[in-house]
Amino acid sequence: MRLEVGGKKQSVRYANAILRFIGRFYEGMEVYGSTFFESAEVDSWLDWCEMELSSPPPQPEQALETLEKHLDQRVFLIGQRFTIADASVSVALHHLQAQGLAASLPRATKRWLGTCMAHEAFGAVVKGAKPATGSKAPAPAGPAMPAASASAPMAPKAASDQPLLDRYSNAVGGRIEIKRIIATPDQGQSLVGKKVSVCGWVKTAREADKGKIMFVQLNDGSTPLDIQVVIDSAAKGFDSLKGKVGTGASMKCTGEVVSSPGGKQAVEILVKAEGTEVILFGGVDAKEYPLSKKGHSHEFLRSIAHLRPRSNLIGCVARVRSALAHATHEFFRTNGFLYVHTPLITAADCEGAGEMFQVTTMMAEAEKDGKQMPMVNGKFDYTKDFFQKPAFLTVSGQLSVENYCCSLSKVYTFGPTFRAENSHTSRHLAEFWMIEPELAFADIHDDMNVAEDYLKYCVSFVMQNNKQDLEFFEDKIEKGLIKRLENLLAEPFARITYTEAIDILIKESPKAKFQVPVEWGMDLGSEHERHLAEKVFKKPTVVYNYPKDIKAFYMRLNEDNKTVAAMDVLAPAIGEVIGGSQREERLDVLDRRITEMGLEPQDYWWYRDLRRFGSVPHSGFGLGFERLIMLTTGVENIRDVIPYPRYPGHAEF
Ligand code: 4AD
Ligand code: MG
């Protein structure tokens, strides 16, 4: 279907009616906004477009001014994605331009129009539209509107015997993701009578009516919800299933969406009539398959890390993990931060804690040649090594990203980091992912503001986009999770200095009975951190201005000469999720701190250069990505929120 609004018969009202229909039909794609409030905003923009941009516009200058003001700090009209509001307003504006009624557009509106015109939905709506000349706007992130292409129909087809094809599934003759059927507000009711093809892995299968019917719960990972498929013995392919369709088998089912007579789900798929069929891709020998329909312990699942994404728990974690990574990029991008890739192999120990994994080829080469490792003066001769000096896996990208910060102002890095600490706790990994923003012209308070905004953005993103996953965690992992997340969003985080924290903890000591007694100068242990966040403030708590002796060399020395402008964000149930600081920008103070810590200033020559040439106040922090996932899901062990956990003695898979 093509909607032409370029000709004389153009009517914003009709265009909007059709866009509303498309928006509702493709509910899962969130082109109608991803929350109730966003949908209301979409509606009001559609109405505005109808009133203000219909040809000829009643007050074109005023309309353009409104639009420019609104778009000044935004990528899209509403939220973080292209919606039908963008489609409607951009098409109307494009049309006015074509008529010469809105000849020159102001900056933000022009950029936004370029972004919209580069979107495939625009091309689908305006026949023959080309991206705005001179516009370099990239196609925006987020779900694409359905467009006409070889593999995906542009809009719903009228005939109910046509399957609703998903993109990129030509290999199996087209399929629809299961979430598009059942994870929708009407739980699939509007699709009743349609023919669909779904593919996935069997969660459970059982026979009924003396083997004449088979009930299969199928999941394809697009949602935690399974779809029930009822396969009648009359269906094509039924006989090939005998004895092969158990938990874990993979198959394609083409059938009709019907209302489900059982109370559990609103709709199911019936494979019975002519033109429907089942195809078994890979069968499973139930005796061999390690996952059964009953629940498994998290420890057991870790031992089958290659198959555990098929469990409900790890499936939900994977979806939330992906959403949080997406939210991270979205937050920083929309706030003007640039994504910088920092090296994983480095010669500098950022934290100065000596917990680094060494990267060397000397050992393998000596072993291959049956020789000793090259030595000089009783020490390994690293000039013979691959990098001609000792090299390590990075513990943090901070030092490298600081260089970019001191020319690009606002940057962040997001990648894996490695720590060779012999920790066997539920909060430590040897390989974990870290997000490290760095801001120029910012002090410790600006740093805390970004940290709080970013954490809240991530939590609200998951609450909006991963409802069903969160319901699973609420049900199976942590009762009260959703309330806890709502509370996290509701109030400002607590902010106290280290000295205030120590005072509080000393007062609480008789009652709290800490294992390690509290005194000024100590590093806070997990019991102290959790007590502050869980018992005292009952919400995320930022502690700042720590004693200099327990913190890294790069943190800015405060006026008192005793503390540094460091901050940690402590979360209930987890403890430290974020560690950051204002950086020492004064070369003489930095050199003193490096030496005090027993490090060599010349090892940090390039880091010191930043303080020699155009030094500026700047700040940053590191957020442990896995700890953020624990916070958002309630999962208690960090080994269950990363696909393949690495910790002492474990590097399998
Ligand atoms: O507090 P950390 O060590 O800070 C840094 O590495 C700074 N260079 C960051 C910066 O300012 N750019 O680590 C930051 C965060 C911690 O708050 C914690 O959430 C996480 O990284 N983290 C770990 N997560 C899992 N396993 C480990 N072994 C971790 N060590 C730190
Ligand atoms: Mg820390």
Side-chain angles (χ1 to χ4, degrees):
M1 180 175 69
R2 261 188 195 284
L3 170 65
E4 289 183 38
V5 290
K8 282 203 183 103
K9 279 182 277 173
Q10 182 266 351
S11 155
V12 176
R13 183 182 300 169
Y14 292 151
N16 281 353
I18 294 172
L19 283 168
R20 281 188 163 105
F21 172 76
I22 293 174
R24 292 212 174 87
F25 193 88
Y26 287 95
E27 182 67 51
M29 291 187 177
E30 293 171 1
V31 288
Y32 215 131
S34 49
T35 61
F36 175 74
F37 292 105
E38 281 189 7
S39 302
E41 282 183 82
V42 168
D43 274 331
S44 70
W45 274 108
L46 293 181
D47 293 344
W48 180 85
C49 183
E50 197 176 310
M51 286 183 297
E52 305 295 334
L53 297 183
S54 281
S55 181
Q59 292 172 303
E61 284 88 21
Q62 218 168 310
L64 282 182
E65 200 184 315
T66 306
L67 200 55
E68 177 69 8
K69 261 197 202 141
H70 182 80
L71 288 167
D72 188 39
Q73 297 288 323
R74 291 181 169 87
V75 179
F76 296 110
L77 287 173
I78 295 137
Q80 307 300 333
R81 290 179 191 75
F82 184 89
T83 63
I84 54 172
D86 294 289
S88 170
V89 179
S90 65
V91 168
L93 206 57
H94 173 72
H95 177 66
L96 294 180
Q97 276 208 305
Q99 293 182 319
L101 293 173
S104 76
L105 296 179
R107 181 192 58 85
T109 307
K110 197 169 173 184
R111 171 192 40 73
W112 162 84
L113 186 62
T115 306
C116 292
M117 289 179 73
H119 198 284
E120 59 193 307
F122 191 94
V125 174
V126 181
K127 202 173 183 180
K130 292 201 174 62
T133 40
S135 161
K136 297 211 171 57
M145 283 266 278
S149 84
S151 61
M154 154 60 196
K157 293 194 176 169
S160 67
D161 61 343
Q162 289 290 336
L164 294 154
L165 300 186
D166 193 73
R167 295 171 170 200
Y168 315 129
S169 58
N170 288 336
V172 294
R175 65 146 185 157
I176 178 168
E177 282 174 301
I178 290 169
K179 75 170 176 191
R180 304 243 178 269
I181 304 176
I182 50 176
T184 52
D186 75 347
Q187 297 168 350
Q189 294 283 14
S190 58
L191 293 177
V192 167
K194 299 240 180 253
K195 197 166 91 174
V196 296
S197 291
V198 290
C199 293
W201 292 265
V202 173
K203 277 280 167 70
T204 63
R206 69 183 167 85
E207 289 184 355
D209 200 11
K210 300 197 180 109
K212 286 201 201 113
I213 289 182
M214 190 178 275
F215 289 93
V216 170
Q217 298 286 333
L218 205 66
N219 189 283
D220 64 3
S222 62
T223 160
L225 309 175
D226 306 326
I227 194 156
Q228 171 150 289
V229 186
V230 182
I231 309 162
D232 191 276
S233 57
K236 191 174 163 198
F238 182 87
D239 294 339
S240 67
L241 306 181
K242 282 269 167 207
K244 291 189 187 141
V245 174
T247 304
S250 52
M251 59 197 297
K252 175 182 174 185
C253 305
T254 301
E256 189 188 338
V257 178
V258 295
S259 289
S260 182
K264 270 193 178 168
Q265 59 272 314
V267 298
E268 58 191 32
I269 296 175
L270 178 63
V271 190
K272 183 177 183 180
E274 232 192 90
T276 67
E277 67 171 331
V278 284
I279 298 172
L280 183 69
F281 296 130
V284 157
D285 180 348
K287 290 193 294 295
E288 300 273 322
Y289 192 61
L291 282 164
S292 64
K293 63 181 176 187
K294 71 173 170 56
H296 294 284
S297 76
H298 298 182
E299 288 78 11
F300 171 74
L301 289 177
R302 259 170 249 150
S303 73
I304 49 162
H306 60 311
L307 290 172
R308 73 174 181 162
R310 292 191 195 173
S311 68
N312 292 335
L313 172 74
I314 303 299
C316 288
V317 167
R319 277 181 294 273
V320 170
R321 190 178 169 106
S322 171
L324 286 169
H326 187 91
T328 293
H329 289 299
E330 210 167 79
F331 174 82
F332 287 114
R333 198 177 112 87
T334 48
N335 282 291
F337 287 69
L338 298 179
Y339 181 27
V340 175
H341 295 114
T342 49
L344 300 190
I345 298 176
T346 173
D349 181 359
C350 172
E351 295 305 299
E355 290 168 338
M356 302 174 87
F357 289 103
Q358 192 158 0
V359 179
T360 174
T361 55
M362 275 197 329
M363 225 183 310
E365 274 165 18
E367 203 167 39
K368 191 172 74 194
D369 302 340
K371 290 191 188 140
Q372 293 293 314
M373 299 262 280
M375 306 288 281
V376 59
N377 299 332
K379 289 187 168 170
F380 294 128
D381 179 6
Y382 284 109
T383 61
K384 305 281 183 321
D385 203 355
F386 189 92
F387 296 107
Q388 297 176 4
K389 59 174 0 192
F392 307 88
L393 293 180
T394 188
V395 294
S396 157
Q398 179 197 320
L399 303 189
S400 315
V401 93
E402 272 188 59
N403 299 339
Y404 271 69
C405 167
C406 292
S407 69
L408 302 172
S409 300
K410 286 194 289 185
V411 294
Y412 71 106
T413 178
F414 180 5
T417 49
F418 309 86
R419 304 235 169 143
E421 49 190 337
N422 199 16
S423 296
H424 294 258
T425 77
S426 58
R427 303 181 314 125
H428 289 89
L429 289 167
E431 177 182 289
F432 64 97
W433 287 63
M434 187 152 52
I435 292 103
E436 297 182 273
E438 195 72 30
L439 310 78
F441 320 112
D443 65 10
I444 188 75
H445 298 282
D446 294 312
D447 207 28
M448 291 191 259
N449 292 343
V450 180
E452 179 164 345
D453 287 353
Y454 166 46
L455 256 180
K456 286 183 168 169
Y457 187 89
C458 286
V459 168
S460 87
F461 187 93
V462 167
M463 290 184 79
Q464 282 180 23
N465 293 286
N466 294 74
K467 261 177 136 162
Q468 275 111 5
D469 297 310
L470 286 188
E471 278 159 15
F472 170 86
F473 293 121
E474 169 84 33
D475 185 35
K476 302 281 187 221
I477 302 291
E478 181 189 338
K479 296 271 174 281
L481 168 73
I482 294 173
K483 188 92 201 101
R484 175 163 68 72
L485 297 180
E486 281 168 0
N487 287 346
L488 184 147
L489 296 179
E491 281 182 39
F493 293 178
R495 293 188 191 185
I496 48 163
T497 64
Y498 169 89
T499 304
E500 287 165 343
I502 292 291
D503 287 347
I504 293 171
L505 289 171
I506 288 175
K507 277 200 204 102
E508 296 269 314
S509 285
K511 194 166 65 185
K513 301 200 170 53
F514 296 120
Q515 286 181 338
V516 178
V518 180
E519 56 174 350
W520 199 96
M522 73 184 299
D523 205 356
L524 298 182
S526 155
E527 56 172 341
H528 310 116
E529 293 176 343
R530 291 187 55 175
H531 188 84
L532 285 170
E534 282 163 33
K535 300 275 170 9
V536 181
F537 293 102
K538 300 187 173 57
K539 61 181 176 180
T541 302
V542 194
V543 179
Y544 62 100
N545 289 350
Y546 281 81
K548 66 176 173 142
D549 294 335
I550 57 168
K551 289 291 181 185
F553 70 90
Y554 53 72
M555 300 186 174
R556 191 179 197 278
L557 191 63
N558 285 326
E559 300 287 290
D560 61 13
N561 267 324
K562 283 188 345 203
T563 59
V564 285
M567 64 101 177
D568 280 357
V569 180
L570 316 174
I574 311 219
E576 180 189 334
V577 260
I578 288 180
S581 69
Q582 184 167 344
R583 316 308 188 188
E584 184 55 77
E585 84 283 12
R586 299 161 296 185
L587 184 62
D588 55 330
V589 187
L590 179 71
D591 279 349
R592 236 182 20 245
R593 295 278 296 138
I594 292 181
T595 319
E596 260 173 35
M597 297 267 181
L599 304 166
E600 288 296 331
Q602 70 265 25
D603 287 349
Y604 298 92
W605 68 269
W606 48 270
Y607 188 71
R608 294 176 62 251
D609 263 4
L610 264 282
R611 278 75 187 163
R612 293 174 60 212
F613 309 124
S615 191
V616 288
H618 62 287
S619 302
F621 64 81
L623 170 125
F625 191 49
E626 285 70 25
R627 295 201 187 162
L628 172 66
I629 304 168
M630 292 166 79
L631 181 149
T632 320
T633 59
V635 171
E636 285 183 342
N637 197 316
I638 198 164
R639 297 167 188 177
D640 299 323
V641 297
I642 188 163
Y644 303 102
R646 267 75 178 109
Y647 49 101
H650 290 84
E652 184 75 347
F653 304 105

